[in-house]
Amino acid sequence: MLCRCIGAGDHLCMTRSHLVRMIEVQAAACGELGSPLYESLLTRVARDVRDGGVCAGALAGYEDAPGPDAVALRLLGGVHALVLTGRAPRLAQHYPSAGGDFSPERADELWAAFCGAVSDGMGEVRDWMTRPPQTNEVGRSTLLLAGALHAAARRRMPVRLFELGSSAGLNLLADRFRLTAPGFAWGPQDSPVALRDCWERPVPDWLISAAARTPALQVVERRGCDPDPVDPGTSEGALLLRAYLWPDQRERTARLAGALRLASEIPTQVARADADTFLADVRLQPGTLTVVWHSVMQQYVAEDAWARVERELDRLGAESGADVGFAHVAFEPRRVGDLHRFRLSVRVDGGAEEVLAEAHPHGLPARALTP
């Protein structure tokens, strides 16, 4: 078993088996989350790394990277970028995002084309490994909007929207998305972002009631923060977002395209800042409901920094009053028994937390926990 040391000589030397195990875990997750293409590829990537193949070279130096670094997804994103920019035409034949077709019966051809793309584009792939995954998944706005509507139904005021871990700020545009499910519809009918079948039956009564009371959110301010924000208006930023989507999930690709169109029309502000620093400067304003929301980002924040975030959220809740509202909306994984569930929680005006729904980590479909 090859052993590779990272950094100073007295650092613990980790075996390649750690990296192989991370890739295998991600392969299983891709299968569970509806990407048979990536499940097939990563299963073979794990074997290739174990055997010291071309993928081992692409991932050299990342053998002991922690799970949150998502090394396997970085590799896939770098290769997908080659496909999307026309530099891997043979592999593009198997990628639906580039007009190709994935077939399990052609898995050997897919793998050969993938290895060829990694080998030919090794420099670009190695450079991509330095870029953390940022999908800015707009499907999660299903949960975020539900929480915001739940709060807005109580506090019928214009909304100031703040997002922690905004990436490209696409979910700051969520009030312009169209949500539909059996017996439920909300948002502009002509929206380029359609979140179809976004709730399992039955759609909860609290959401139906909140949507009826608030047929549109009057958003008067849109601001967010991210340690490494993406500019969706640049070709590089748009490519980063597209490359980290899974190529056999066409609906996600369509949703991203619609969100990028909205981003070109509606201004948002995403500061390069950590969540705790950003929140420290947020103040409530009379006559408005300030909503702070975030989705699947807490795990990337150090515990001490998240403790500071929670203190700022408590401060904002305590500052709410008769003419000034505050809501904290979160869609984050929570341990439930031996599993992690991705759940929507809402706190209005510093009151008790309500856990209202759960969903697939990409946000669709949502399922009510509260009728």
Side-chain angles (χ1 to χ4, degrees), residues 66-114:
D69 281 4
V71 169
L73 293 181
R74 294 188 192 208
L75 172 65
L76 293 175
V79 175
H80 196 191
L82 294 175
V83 170
L84 293 172
T85 53
R87 287 175 290 168
R90 184 179 166 203
L91 183 57
Q93 298 175 23
H94 301 272
Y95 274 43
S97 59
D101 179 59
F102 168 66
S103 170
E105 290 74 21
R106 298 172 63 201
D108 290 343
E109 294 177 38
L110 167 65
W111 175 242
F114 183 86

Side-chain angles (χ1 to χ4, degrees), residues 156 184 186 207-215:
R156 307 191 71 180
F184 175 77
W186 188 90
L207 178 56
I208 293 174
S209 175
R213 287 172 59 84
T214 311

Side-chain angles (χ1 to χ4, degrees), residues 8-9 16 19 24 30 32 51 81 84 92 114 119 176 183 202 220 240 247-248 269 295 314 330 355:
R16 188 178 281 167
L19 178 57
E24 290 173 338
C30 288
E32 292 172 2
D51 295 340
L84 293 172
F114 183 86
S119 179
R176 304 298 181 92
V220 296
L240 181 73
D248 50 345
Q269 298 179 40
S295 59
D314 289 341
V355 181

Side-chain angles (χ1 to χ4, degrees), residues 223-259:
R223 291 173 53 199
C225 70
D226 196 278
D228 189 21
V230 176
D231 184 350
T234 65
S235 57
E236 181 180 2
L239 176 62
L240 181 73
L241 297 171
R242 292 170 63 209
Y244 271 127
L245 290 184
W246 299 353
D248 50 345
Q249 297 188 330
R250 297 177 188 268
E251 289 196 359
R252 293 179 70 197
T253 300
R255 291 196 292 266
L256 175 60

